[in-house]
Amino acid sequence: MSVVEVSVDGGVALLTLNRPERRNAFTADMGRALGEHYATLDTDDSIRVVVVTGAPPAFCAGADFTNGDNTFDAPTDPDFTASPIQPPAFELRKPVIAAINGHAIGIGLTLALQADIRIVADNAWYAIPQVRFGVLPDAVSHWTVTHLAGLTAAAELLLTGRRHTGADLLRLGLANQVLPAQEVLPAALELAHDIATHTAPMSVALCKTLLWDTARDNLNPAQVAARETDLHRRLMGTPDAKEGVRAHLERRPPRWSARLPENGRTIPR
């Protein structure tokens, strides 16, 4: 059994962290596999949305403590990185939904914060406790948490390492929905299929890239307006721009024709 299982249905790829006997505790192999699947799915035109979840009973319990107090030994690999999932979810051109169906601790939460949309369980605990283990938060969380929740909330989450509820995450802007655990994955898949059916691939890719670039490059309103104008010029008058209106007027699912480039970003930097 793979540490990350993959299934595909109707343009939606479901990635399942699959070490249930260890509450899907994170390993280097898991990070490598997740990144490889991200990269592969991003170049597959048949995939419109990626959903990430965990094999019950947890989403991801964080670092695997099998090695006891050697868990955070000094790295010997010259290629060591604190961001072991490459590419991160925010670099994909397709929406990534995290279906956080149970506890998400440490890198279990920080990897989910790289997704575009997060649906969380109401009976689980969420924390980024690395400072309580003598290390520090990972997976670009000093940027993602600040971007999503603001500096004040990020300081509390990252500097204290305290546990939070699903309701806390919703209040802080780190979650989109809080549901009973058994409803999290169905809700994520329903949303994913809605996106896959009704939205134009190129429109979504350009929108997502601009959303994350706005945060990453700290774009001001005038810069965003200029990029939006450029992207409107890129899309208006295309077959998809006509098909979207035509499908709406004819009350049928749209048939999109634009395809993403095989490699690379959709917006040059």
Side-chain angles (χ1 to χ4, degrees):
M1 297 289 286
S2 170
V3 291
V4 180
E5 291 288 307
V6 184
S7 62
V8 176
D9 176 49
V12 175
L14 175 62
L15 301 179
T16 303
L17 309 180
N18 191 40
R19 299 185 70 217
E21 74 287 352
R22 299 288 301 171
R23 294 182 179 268
N24 306 317
F26 188 87
T27 65
D29 286 343
M30 182 180 285
R32 235 179 340 261
L34 188 57
E36 288 170 359
H37 288 310
Y38 277 168
T40 299
L41 295 168
D42 199 42
T43 60
D44 185 343
D45 276 343
S46 69
I47 302 301
R48 293 293 322 282
V49 185
V50 178
V51 176
V52 183
T53 194
F59 178 77
C60 176
D64 189 335
F65 285 176
T66 300
N67 291 329
D69 63 5
N70 295 319
T71 297
F72 298 120
D73 275 357
T76 57
D77 184 347
D79 295 324
F80 167 79
T81 172
S83 298
I85 303 152
Q86 293 295 329
F90 55 75
E91 290 284 359
L92 273 63
R93 297 165 298 175
K94 301 170 183 183
V96 179
I97 302 173
I100 309 174
N101 54 322
H103 302 315
I105 307 296
I107 197 168
L109 182 54
T110 59
L111 75 85
L113 293 175
Q114 296 182 345
D116 302 293
I117 297 170
R118 284 159 298 282
I119 302 175
V120 304
D122 62 1
N123 63 344
W125 289 110
Y126 306 95
I128 305 174
Q130 283 88 326
V131 293
R132 298 188 174 211
F133 295 104
V135 287
L136 79 161
D138 44 35
V140 206
S141 54
H142 293 80
W143 176 71
T144 56
V145 181
T146 304
H147 166 52
L148 295 168
L151 182 59
T152 299
E156 179 183 349
L157 284 163
L158 302 181
L159 299 181
T160 71
R162 294 175 62 182
R163 295 190 305 179
H164 294 269
T165 65
D168 292 334
L169 264 58
L170 184 67
R171 174 177 55 82
L172 293 170
L174 297 173
N176 298 81
Q177 295 183 61
V178 182
L179 297 171
Q182 69 274 14
E183 297 179 17
V184 167
L185 181 56
L189 292 172
E190 180 183 4
L191 177 58
H193 282 288
D194 182 66
I195 295 170
T197 301
H198 295 109
T199 67
M202 185 63 72
S203 297
V204 169
L206 293 172
C207 182
K208 171 172 176 172
T209 304
L210 182 54
L211 275 173
W212 285 98
D213 279 358
T214 297
R216 176 172 28 216
D217 300 337
N218 195 28
L219 302 180
N220 63 42
Q223 291 171 315
V224 173
R227 292 202 188 190
E228 285 179 349
T229 299
D230 288 342
L231 296 177
H232 273 77
R233 289 195 175 104
R234 184 166 168 177
L235 292 176
M236 293 174 73
T238 62
D240 278 359
K242 297 181 183 300
E243 171 61 12
V245 176
R246 190 181 298 120
H248 174 74
L249 294 175
E250 296 174 2
R251 304 193 178 204
R252 59 169 174 80
R255 296 184 289 269
W256 309 113
S257 57
R259 295 292 177 264
L260 302 185
E262 289 188 6
N263 295 295
R265 291 165 54 84
T266 52
I267 303 177
R269 296 182 78 185

